[in-house]
Amino acid sequence: MNCESSRHLLPLYFDGELDPAASRAFESHLDGCAACRQALHELETLRARLRDPAARFAAPAALRARLAATAPARPRMRNRPWLALAASWLAAAAVGAGSAGLWQDRQHAVQAQAQLTRDLFAGHWRALAAASPVDVVSTDRHTVKPWFAGKVAESPPVHDFAAQGFPLAGGRIDYAGSARVPVLVYRHGGHLIDVFVLASADPGLPRQAQMRGYGLRTLALGHATAAVVSDMDEAELDRFAQLLAQGETAAPAR
Amino acid sequence: MDATDPRGLVGELALRQLDAAYNLARWLLGNDADAGDAVHDAFVRALQSAHTYAGGNARAWWLTIVRHCCFARLKERSDGRRFVAIDQLAADLGEAAVQRILPKSAADGPEQGAASAQERARLHRQLHELPPEYREVLVLREIEELSYREIAEMLSIPIGTVMSRLSRGRERLLHALRADAARSGERP
Ligand SMILES: [Zn+2]
């Protein structure tokens, strides 16, 4: 790849719009090309300045109050709409996945899978709608891990990925079916990331799923399974899932 | 209210993404009064059309409505109703005025924050001076973090056009900031 042909790929690489193979090819050019590295650095600097929260216009409190006052009245249980909607979306997804003529047990498996997927999306939406998405607020994994002890059968491994742009925000307990599961909460820019840690090595979840702009990734975490739910874009979701999988193989620094 | 009423969901979404909506409107319209009104219009409209939401990225769906309401306002403006764009006013009055109207910390800076407030003011002015089609994709991509596909759908333009506008917009903004910094003899 020469410099001219790779230069037009630079913004695509920078914006995460290249597929993994093309990204790797571009990176190998980047290793040997100071001019492209400089250009990439300029784009990064510009983005950092534009993304500076202090440079962003925030909605005035008066506007927020005015809109909140005209918003439809919440039903008695404030989280119901999320759950109900999640249920209806998932029902639609399950219908799509389980076309007629399947074996009965396959149907059951599909339904169980859809049910669990629904629980995870619903858990995430419920957390977003709640006053705080975390029960324990901490960026320190040494605080988060012991917090789970006694609340769930097994405390999940906790890693911080702040250096990679995904700082730990805390943790909470949520439900998947009738099981209480630990949830690790991370942030990425304005996005919230939930990591549900399921005790089973094969909970029967799809490797990935998408719903209304929210994505799910499932990965093995030792003998457990991690289900990641967030509205980050697909590339970022994949990157985070990969970090999480690697974080498990690398021994946690004590 | 019916628990499955999609308006409840849309209301929650819009309030959760209110800063994104306001930031976009503010950049498209150039002043607080119009931006607030456009977001208010968008909120009403989003609730009315909640049942038409057919899936996909909810944030992009909401921002598309905000954008429509901004353009409706711009049209109203050009149809004769006169608004004074605060940014325009500030450009006429100079840097000091720009800093007074900038969001948050820009104006409150004790001397430590002064340099960065000035830097921010410069960035704001240069971004504001970009042609609107470049400014818009920069705000959507760099600040609101939408993907090429989401921007293309929002603006009803091909992805290739998103890419070229984004590239040109970045180029022009970088160039303007460099020239600006060179003029004032500071680092960019
Ligand atoms: Zn090169």
Side-chain angles (χ1 to χ4, degrees), chain A residues 105-165:
Chain A
D105 57 348
R106 169 105 172 84
Q107 279 285 23
H108 285 313
V110 168
Q111 274 163 18
Q113 174 173 325
Q115 176 70 42
L116 182 54
T117 311
R118 176 183 77 193
D119 286 347
L120 298 180
F121 277 110
H124 183 66
W125 291 325
R126 203 166 48 226
L128 288 174
S132 169
V134 290
D135 295 333
V136 54
V137 182
S138 177
T139 55
D140 181 359
R141 59 195 185 80
H142 300 299
T143 308
V144 176
K145 188 171 165 66
W147 180 84
F148 284 113
K151 297 188 179 66
V152 287
E154 201 178 337
S155 297
V158 183
H159 301 272
D160 188 13
F161 303 108
Q164 293 87 355

Side-chain angles (χ1 to χ4, degrees), chain A residues 11 15 17 42 47 49 51-52 55-60 64 67 72-74 81-82 191 212-214, chain B residues 1 3 7 12 15-16 19-20 22-23 26 40 43 53 56 119-120 124 141-142 144-145 148 170 178:
Chain A
D15 288 319
E17 303 270 350
E42 281 196 334
R47 171 171 294 172
R49 290 181 65 181
R51 245 173 226 188
D52 177 359
R56 191 186 191 213
F57 291 103
R64 188 175 289 278
L67 297 188
R74 290 221 179 97
W82 294 90
H191 307 282
R212 303 256 162 174
Y214 290 80
Chain B
M1 187 182 107
R7 295 186 316 135
E12 296 259 15
L15 286 173
R16 210 151 34 74
D19 283 342
Y22 188 79
N23 184 54
R26 184 62 178 73
H40 186 265
F43 189 74
Y53 172 53
E119 223 174 75
R120 247 187 328 260
H124 267 246
R141 174 64 208 142
E142 301 291 37
E144 300 309 334
E145 303 178 45
Y148 289 3
R170 280 167 171 160
R178 255 186 245 119

Side-chain angles (χ1 to χ4, degrees), chain B residues 55 63 82 85 112 129 141:
Chain B
L63 290 180
R82 293 302 307 157
Q112 192 56 31
E129 280 176 6
R141 174 64 208 142

